Amino acid sequence: MRFAAGMVLIDAPHSALNMLGIDERLADRNVTRVKTFRRGGNRYPYVSPQAWRYWWRSTLSEHFNWELSPLYREQKQVFTAANPLKYPDDDVFGYMRAFKKGGINVTVTRISPLKNTPLISVLPERSALTVDDGYASRHEGDPVPYSQEFYSTIFKGAFSLDLDSVGRFTLVHKAGYKNMLTWDDVPKDKKGQPKGNAKEIVEEIEEMERLAEKLGVQKGEKEWLMPAEVRKKRASETVKALRYLSGGAKQTAYHTDVIPKFFLGLSIDAGINPFISDIVFEERGEVKFNAEALAERLKDLSEVLPTKKLYLGYDAGFVRSLGWDIEKIKATLEGTGLEVFIGTVGEAIEAFAKEIESYYG
């Protein structure tokens, strides 16, 4: 199995990208707080993984014209159309949908080929977070005090895209692998005809089959496979979208550019990501990059690095502010025997996307 693994750094110099709201557990209920979590003796601001995925999905719609799967709500559940043939975000981001109508109870699920961490602050709360005290005074009468937290930090996030799963849909009766409805899900009468209460499910199956024929899907007993050109397009555009990533809360007041300022990517024949832990870290208030640790890690994984090529993209101003020596980093990484592509973030992402495309032939 081939995965596209990557890591991004997002500069957030004055930001509140994902808020917790009012924390009812605390005595001070006049402060809008950011999300934090504890690790060891420190707390770290973070952006939730679902928020990052929301930005990612929206960027694919805006810049690559992806038709996003519509959302439906039933009671306390929200789900998408669960149609990965028609909607590329259902294919790449996965889903779970329960059909519970007319006495029929069928659930289809798809494990997301795209996996991502939260965006986690490299700097701990004590070095990154502050509170802005303000007053609402545009109305008549006394001003109303309020407070909100924001931070100045760098967020680190990692992702992994399962290239074999993009455009491949399984029909196995197992959680995560029953991706679509089948005729076996349709209750039938004594003559073998679908019962009247199955009308909605029958219509969905018929639509899916018409679409499969139109797109040229290869249909097997246990899986359907979309044409290579469709899989190639969906996989490469998913990675390319990082170039144009936008989103985040409080943009009106804090206006943060969330396009990555540093990018690492490589192909790997294993469901692991060598960029997740401890290669970017805080030391005495400064953000460091441990090229030696990454080089050792990649050397240890060399047998599952099929192309032996690492893509490194960086923003010159960002790297300069951190005092990182890119040439020294490149030399250290090349010591593992890997070819290291160096360029801007956009150039590295585009080059990595081409490598992804080549995987599909």
Side-chain angles (χ1 to χ4, degrees):
M1 298 179 70
R2 179 72 53 86
F3 294 80
M7 186 203 80
V8 299
L9 296 180
I10 292 174
D11 189 23
H14 35 66
S15 314
L17 295 168
N18 192 209
M19 305 298 284
L20 176 66
I22 303 296
D23 190 345
E24 300 290 345
R25 298 169 300 177
L26 302 179
D28 187 353
R29 298 183 180 179
N30 196 34
V31 183
T32 305
R33 300 187 181 280
V34 301
K35 293 181 178 179
T36 62
F37 73 98
R38 182 179 295 281
R39 184 182 184 188
N42 292 320
R43 297 194 70 84
Y44 294 84
Y46 72 94
V47 173
S48 68
Q50 60 269 26
W52 186 14
R53 292 171 75 83
Y54 179 80
W55 304 351
W56 208 327
R57 198 188 294 246
S58 299
T59 301
L60 283 162
S61 173
E62 181 176 355
H63 290 276
F64 295 92
N65 297 318
W66 279 28
E67 182 182 1
L68 299 184
S69 185
L71 296 175
Y72 303 95
R73 179 168 183 170
E74 288 186 358
Q75 297 178 343
K76 294 183 179 180
Q77 294 181 328
V78 176
F79 45 81
T80 69
N83 185 339
L85 300 181
K86 183 176 182 179
Y87 302 109
D89 61 320
D90 271 348
D91 179 2
V92 172
F93 291 82
Y95 51 78
M96 181 177 74
R97 180 180 180 184
F99 293 84
K100 296 180 180 178
K101 291 186 177 179
I104 301 171
N105 189 348
V106 182
T107 299
V108 293
T109 57
R110 174 166 171 78
I111 297 173
S112 173
L114 177 64
K115 299 170 178 60
N116 60 276
T117 67
L119 297 170
I120 300 171
S121 171
V122 178
L123 299 173
E125 176 187 38
R126 67 172 187 279
S127 302
L129 202 63
T130 190
V131 179
D132 175 53
D133 296 316
Y135 293 88
S137 58
R138 295 179 62 187
H139 59 286
E140 291 187 2
D142 295 334
V144 178
Y146 68 92
S147 301
Q148 58 185 8
E149 293 180 339
F150 72 102
Y151 39 68
S152 177
T153 190
I154 294 167
F155 285 103
K156 180 179 70 174
F159 67 90
S160 175
L161 179 63
D162 183 345
L163 302 183
D164 286 299
S165 291
V166 174
R168 183 188 298 274
F169 314 117
T170 53
L171 306 174
V172 179
H173 284 267
K174 180 181 175 183
Y177 296 90
K178 180 174 172 51
N179 296 162
M180 296 181 294
L181 295 169
T182 69
W183 290 109
D184 291 339
D185 299 316
V186 179
K188 301 178 179 63
D189 59 23
K190 293 180 180 178
K191 296 181 180 178
Q193 297 300 313
K195 291 185 176 179
N197 59 350
K199 180 181 178 182
E200 185 177 340
I201 288 180
V202 168
E203 289 176 348
E204 295 226 15
I205 293 173
E206 289 177 342
E207 181 190 357
M208 200 82 75
E209 291 192 336
R210 283 195 297 270
L211 193 56
E213 184 174 352
K214 179 181 177 181
L215 294 173
V217 173
Q218 297 178 33
K219 296 167 62 176
E221 183 180 355
K222 292 297 183 183
E223 73 171 30
W224 289 13
L225 187 65
M226 297 196 80
E229 286 301 315
V230 177
R231 302 175 71 202
K232 177 191 300 186
K233 183 174 185 294
R234 291 181 176 184
S236 65
E237 289 182 349
T238 299
V239 173
K240 288 179 181 178
L242 289 170
R243 288 192 63 183
Y244 311 107
L245 194 67
S246 63
K250 300 289 184 181
Q251 287 285 12
T252 302
Y254 294 102
H255 189 37
T256 300
D257 173 17
V258 299
I259 290 175
K261 297 299 187 295
F262 189 83
F263 170 84
L264 290 173
L266 56 69
S267 297
I268 185 167
D269 285 340
I272 52 181
N273 190 319
F275 307 128
I276 285 182
S277 61
D278 301 327
I279 58 171
V280 180
F281 60 98
E282 180 262 350
E283 184 177 82
R284 298 176 182 177
E286 296 185 354
V287 178
K288 305 285 188 180
F289 183 80
N290 193 340
E292 292 78 12
L294 178 59
E296 286 297 315
R297 197 173 294 172
L298 295 177
K299 186 177 179 181
D300 205 35
L301 294 170
S302 61
E303 72 275 15
V304 289
L305 302 178
T307 64
K308 301 287 189 290
K309 192 166 186 177
L310 175 70
Y311 297 85
L312 189 159
Y314 69 99
D315 178 274
F318 174 73
V319 166
R320 188 182 303 115
S321 71
L322 298 177
W324 293 1
D325 185 336
I326 291 296
E327 289 303 318
K328 185 177 179 181
I329 290 173
K330 180 184 179 184
T332 302
L333 296 173
E334 286 180 334
T336 63
L338 292 178
E339 178 185 352
V340 181
F341 176 96
I342 297 284
T344 66
V345 170
E347 290 169 347
I349 288 175
E350 289 293 331
F352 187 40
K354 284 185 179 178
E355 180 175 301
I356 291 170
E357 291 175 355
S358 69
Y359 178 64
Y360 295 100

